[in-house]
C-alpha cells in the first residue's frame, strides 16, 4: 500500500514538473535542429518581398502574448474569436506567412514545433531582417486549445490610451515603464490605419506641419474611402528598425495618441529622451522587454497542444 502511494506520488510529481516546465533556448536542439533556420529563411523571404510584413509579424506576437499569454490563441481562425475583436479585426496581418512557416517546419519535424514558438521566433527574425537587434528566444511554448476574445478587448491597449492607462495595461503583464517605452519602439516600423490616428491629428500635442501633411491621407471626416488609408508609424526610416521613433516623439511627430503620450510632460519623458540619444540603450531595453513579454504565461509540458495547423485546434 505504501509502495502504491509512493508510486502515485512520483506520477503526480512527474505530471506537475511536465506542466510547469521552463522555457529553454535549446528546446528544439535535438527534436528539430533545423527549426530556427527554417523559420528565419521564411521570414527573410517574406520581409524581402514586403518590408511591412516584418512589423506585422512582430505585432502578431505582441497581440498573442498580451491575451492569455504567448499561446498562439490569436492565430485561431474562429468566427467569434480574438481575430474578430476591435483591436484585431481588419488590422492583423501575416497569417499566411505563419501558415507557410508552419507547413515547412511540419515537413521536417511533424507535430514538434508549436505555433506559439514560431510566432516568438518570427518576431525576433523580423526585427533582425529590418536592421534591428537580435536576442535569444526561450522556447518550449505549447498552443492554446481555445481563443479569448473577451481578453483581447480588455487587455490590448488601444491607440487612444492615456499614459496612465498604458502603464496599467503593461503593469498588469508585469511589464514596467521602461518595458512600455521600449516595446512601443516597435512602432519604428510598420503602418497604421487612418482610423487609428485621425483623432490625434486634431490634438494640441502634435506638430502642426506633421498633422497637416497627414490630412491628405486621413481627412477629419470619417469615410469608408479613407478610413483604411495607411501612414508610416515612423516617417523618418519606416522600413528600418532603429531609434528614430523616439526622436519623432521629441518633435511631437508621434503618429498615434498613445505614441505621443510617452513624451508629453509625463513620467516616461526621460526614458524617451534616453532612447532617442542612445540607440544601444534602446536595443538593450527592447530585447530585454521582448524576452519578458515572450515569457507571459506560456503553456508548457503537457498543457495545450502542438497544433498541426496554426489556424485550428487539432
Amino acid at each position: 500500500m505504501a509502495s502504491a502511494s509512493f508510486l502515485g506520488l512520483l506520477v503526480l510529481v512527474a505530471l506537475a514538473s511536465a506542466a510547469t516546465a521552463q522555457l529553454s533556448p535549446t528546446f528544439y536542439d535535438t527534436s528539430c535542429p533545423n527549426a530556427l533556420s527554417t523559420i528565419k529563411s521564411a521570414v527573410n523571404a517574406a520581409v524581402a518581398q514586403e518590408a511591412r510584413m516584418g512589423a506585422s509579424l512582430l505585432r502578431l506576437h505582441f497581440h498573442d502574448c498580451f491575451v492569455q499569454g504567448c499561446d498562439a490563441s490569436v492565430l485561431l481562425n474562429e468566427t467569434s474569436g480574438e481575430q474578430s475583436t476591435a483591436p484585431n479585426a481588419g488590422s492583423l496581418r501575416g497569417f499566411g506567412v505563419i501558415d507557410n512557416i508552419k507547413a515547412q517546419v511540419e515537413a521536417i519535424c511533424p507535430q514538434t514545433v508549436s505555433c506559439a514558438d514560431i510566432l516568438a521566433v518570427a518576431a525576433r527574425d523580423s526585427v533582425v531582417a529590418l536592421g534591428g537587434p537580435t536576442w535569444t528566444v526561450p522556447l518550449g511554448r505549447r498552443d492554446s486549445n481555445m481563443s479569448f476574445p473577451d481578453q483581447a478587448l480588455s487587455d490590448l491597449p488601444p491607440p487612444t490610451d492615456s499614459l496612465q492607462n498604458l502603464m496599467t495595461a503593461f503593469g498588469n503583464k508585469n511589464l514596467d515603464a521602461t518595458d512600455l517605452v521600449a516595446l512601443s519602439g516597435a512602432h519604428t516600423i510598420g503602418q497604421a490605419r487612418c482610423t487609428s490616428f485621425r483623432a490625434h491629428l486634431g490634438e494640441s500635442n502634435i506638430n502642426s506641419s506633421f498633422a497637416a501633411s497627414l490630412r491628405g491621407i486621413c481627412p477629419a471626416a470619417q469615410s469608408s474611402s479613407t478610413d483604411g488609408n495607411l501612414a508610416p508609424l515612423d516617417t523618418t526610416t519606416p522600413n528600418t528598425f532603429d531609434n528614430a521613433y523616439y526622436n519623432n516623439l521629441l518633435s511631437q511627430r508621434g503618429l498615434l495618441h498613445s505614441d505621443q503620450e510617452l513624451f508629453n510632460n509625463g513620467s516616461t519623458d526621460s526614458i524617451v529622451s534616453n532612447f532617442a540619444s542612445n540607440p544601444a540603450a534602446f536595443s538593450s531595453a527592447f530585447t530585454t522587454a521582448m524576452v519578458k513579454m515572450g515569457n507571459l504565461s506560456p503553456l508548457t509540458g503537457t498543457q495545450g497542444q502542438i497544433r498541426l495547423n496554426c489556424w485550428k485546434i487539432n
Side-chain angles (χ1 to χ4, degrees):
M1 187 70 174
S3 175
S5 298
F6 180 67
L7 275 175
L9 180 62
L10 282 179
V11 170
L12 286 173
V13 169
L15 287 173
S17 63
T20 58
Q22 296 297 303
L23 301 182
S24 165
T26 61
F27 189 83
Y28 297 112
D29 282 8
T30 301
S31 62
C32 193
N34 293 322
L36 297 190
S37 60
T38 301
I39 297 170
K40 182 176 182 178
S41 295
V43 168
N44 286 345
V47 174
Q49 184 175 357
E50 182 198 8
R52 185 188 174 203
M53 186 54 67
S56 297
L57 294 175
L58 177 57
R59 186 166 182 253
L60 269 181
H61 181 47
F62 176 86
H63 279 232
D64 180 35
C65 291
F66 255 60
V67 180
Q68 206 69 28
C70 309
D71 59 4
S73 58
V74 73
L75 299 179
L76 290 174
N77 186 15
E78 299 178 349
T79 303
S80 57
E82 290 174 36
Q83 291 183 27
S84 67
T85 62
N88 296 329
S91 65
L92 281 186
R93 324 169 59 244
F95 299 109
V97 173
I98 296 299
D99 288 341
N100 174 52
I101 295 172
K102 178 62 171 173
Q104 291 186 43
V105 173
E106 282 295 312
I108 58 172
C109 308
Q111 207 163 359
T112 302
V113 181
S114 70
C115 299
D117 276 345
I118 288 174
L119 278 181
V121 175
R124 187 268 312 274
D125 292 344
S126 293
V127 170
V128 174
L130 292 172
T134 190
W135 62 95
T136 301
V137 180
L139 301 164
R141 301 167 189 79
R142 288 169 65 87
D143 300 325
S144 171
N145 293 318
M146 61 186 297
S147 188
F148 305 93
D150 291 343
Q151 287 91 327
L153 283 170
S154 63
D155 292 9
L156 289 168
T160 54
D161 257 0
S162 66
L163 177 60
Q164 185 54 57
N165 286 346
L166 288 168
M167 293 183 70
T168 297
F170 278 70
N172 288 340
K173 307 298 179 184
N174 294 317
L175 297 168
D176 60 26
T178 300
D179 299 323
L180 161 62
V181 178
L183 290 172
S184 297
H187 286 178
T188 187
I189 54 175
Q191 302 183 60
R193 295 180 299 168
C194 169
T195 51
S196 298
F197 62 85
R198 174 184 278 124
H200 180 48
L201 300 184
E203 295 174 346
S204 60
N205 62 340
I206 185 170
N207 178 281
S208 58
S209 61
F210 179 58
S213 70
L214 290 166
R215 283 293 182 204
I217 300 170
C218 188
Q222 292 186 15
S223 168
S224 58
S225 64
T226 59
D227 284 356
N229 287 354
L230 298 169
L233 287 155
D234 167 16
T235 57
T236 310
T237 50
N239 295 322
T240 302
F241 197 98
D242 55 21
N243 70 328
Y245 167 82
Y246 300 104
N247 285 288
N248 293 339
L249 297 185
L250 296 185
S251 59
Q252 293 188 312
R253 293 174 185 268
L255 183 65
L256 307 180
H257 173 87
S258 54
D259 289 328
Q260 199 58 57
E261 279 290 283
L262 302 179
F263 190 81
N264 193 34
N265 299 312
S267 59
T268 54
D269 282 13
S270 60
I271 304 174
V272 171
S273 296
N274 181 37
F275 291 167
S277 62
N278 191 337
F282 165 51
S283 292
S284 176
F286 180 80
T287 57
T288 297
M290 284 298 293
V291 173
K292 286 176 69 174
M293 186 182 77
N295 285 337
L296 287 175
S297 306
L299 301 175
T300 58
T302 56
Q303 300 170 327
Q305 61 180 216
I306 304 295
R307 287 189 219 135
L308 292 168
N309 293 291
C310 290
W311 53 273
K312 67 176 183 177
I313 297 164
N314 294 344

